[in-house]
Amino acid sequence: MLSAQQLKYTIGQKNILNAISVNFLPGTCNLIIGPNGSGKSTLIKLLSGEVDNFEGEVLYNGVNLKSFTKQTLASCRSVLSQQTELSFPMLVEEVVLLGRNPHFEFNPTKKDTAIVQEVIALLDLTSFTNRNYQSLSGGEKQRVHYARVLAQIWDKPAGTHRYLFLDEPLNNLDIYYQQVFLSIANSLLNETTTLIGVVHDINIAMRYADELFFLKEGTLVKNGAPEKIVDAILLKEVFNIDTQIITHPSTNKPIVIF
């Protein structure tokens, strides 16, 4: 289990996160949602170890995050950030192979290259393998980086867990690939894998999340299963919008009508 206790983070005199305590169970899809500036991406950065100058503690299966070496952490968790630009030319295959760097010392093994080819095919990128990454569209770059972070934690860890962090993974993607991204992520979930992501589309979040976490102004307003916590009162409090909630006829998940 990944847990955080009393997370506080400030920049100057501004409180970005205010004493947030959360638990993320193995085998679950956990999606964070809230207005711009509510601290969603910052929370991802703290939980994933990208930022470490915070108050409180983050525990990976009971072990304090700050005790991990970079190598150990990189072998069990991967992060898809909002930044997709690279400042130098690389082939698509080379970018995806970066995800395997924590798993070999000098040269990739046959296993590493096989994993790279597998995730490239999974993301429908085979025809892009030898393309210059910088020549791709925004959505294509997003798919390449998704393949990279999947390759990083593709192995099921022995005696530990793996964690996939997705910070606004649906940016630049069309409707089809939005569904593909989250469907693939959900297919990885099992007793050793935890998914934690930030999304903006409330209906997509409710379709895929086992648990939703609503943030506003750095504070956790409410969390729980979508069908148990989402109502018009909560959405008015968090987003200041008027809505109606109906039930999807096939999935029985709630749907928001604005």
Side-chain angles (χ1 to χ4, degrees):
M1 179 175 72
L2 192 160
S3 62
Q5 304 298 324
Q6 295 294 303
L7 287 187
K8 297 180 182 179
Y9 183 68
T10 62
I11 298 178
Q13 299 299 314
K14 181 175 177 57
N15 291 328
I16 308 300
L17 294 177
N18 305 307
I20 291 181
S21 295
V22 287
N23 294 309
F24 305 100
L25 297 176
T28 59
C29 175
N30 306 272
L31 297 180
I32 304 165
I33 194 163
N36 292 337
S38 58
K40 303 183 298 297
S41 294
T42 299
L43 181 56
I44 288 284
K45 290 176 181 178
L46 269 57
L47 294 171
S48 64
E50 183 177 343
V51 172
D52 60 8
N53 58 330
F54 57 85
E55 296 181 45
E57 62 179 6
V58 176
L59 302 176
Y60 279 50
N61 204 28
V63 180
N64 195 302
L65 170 63
K66 293 183 179 180
S67 70
F68 282 71
T69 66
K70 290 184 178 181
Q71 179 77 15
T72 300
L73 187 60
S75 66
C76 70
R77 73 93 179 91
S78 60
V79 184
L80 179 63
S81 69
Q82 297 180 41
Q83 177 60 43
T84 61
E85 293 302 320
L86 296 175
S87 58
F88 46 88
M90 296 181 70
L91 299 180
V92 165
E93 184 177 32
E94 293 173 330
V95 176
V96 178
L97 184 58
L98 292 175
R100 297 302 302 168
N101 281 355
H103 304 280
F104 61 83
E105 289 192 32
F106 301 108
N107 297 304
T109 65
K110 290 182 179 179
K111 178 181 179 180
D112 295 313
T113 55
I115 289 173
V116 167
Q117 294 306 316
E118 186 174 355
V119 295
I120 282 176
L122 185 65
L123 270 297
D124 194 24
L125 292 167
T126 303
S127 62
F128 294 83
T129 300
N130 294 312
R131 281 271 301 274
N132 182 339
Y133 172 84
Q134 293 178 325
S135 72
L136 304 182
S137 70
E140 290 164 347
K141 289 177 179 177
Q142 190 81 340
R143 286 159 54 197
V144 171
H145 279 289
Y146 192 36
R148 174 182 58 78
V149 299
L150 291 180
Q152 184 176 339
I153 59 166
W154 198 248
D155 304 304
K156 292 183 179 180
T160 184
H161 295 75
R162 59 182 177 178
Y163 305 90
L164 177 61
F165 293 91
L166 305 176
D167 189 2
E168 299 189 24
L170 308 183
N171 287 351
N172 302 313
L173 297 177
D174 60 32
I175 295 173
Y176 172 75
Y177 279 110
Q178 288 180 7
Q179 305 300 322
V180 168
F181 260 48
L182 292 177
S183 294
I184 290 173
N186 269 357
S187 72
L188 295 176
L189 296 179
N190 53 46
E191 67 280 1
T192 65
T193 309
T194 304
L195 168 63
I196 303 169
V198 170
V199 296
H200 281 293
D201 190 313
I202 180 65
N203 286 316
I204 286 181
M206 291 195 297
R207 175 176 176 180
Y208 287 97
D210 296 302
E211 188 159 2
L212 285 177
F213 296 78
F214 285 86
L215 293 187
K216 184 177 183 180
E217 297 178 352
T219 299
L220 180 63
V221 177
K222 201 166 189 178
N223 65 282
E227 60 273 18
K228 293 182 179 180
I229 68 167
V230 177
D231 57 27
I233 296 174
L234 175 63
L235 297 180
K236 181 69 173 180
E237 177 184 359
V238 174
F239 295 103
N240 194 31
I241 54 174
D242 296 314
T243 60
Q244 289 182 310
I245 312 295
I246 64 173
T247 301
H248 192 286
S250 299
T251 65
N252 291 321
K253 294 276 190 177
I255 298 176
V256 176
I257 297 177
F258 300 97

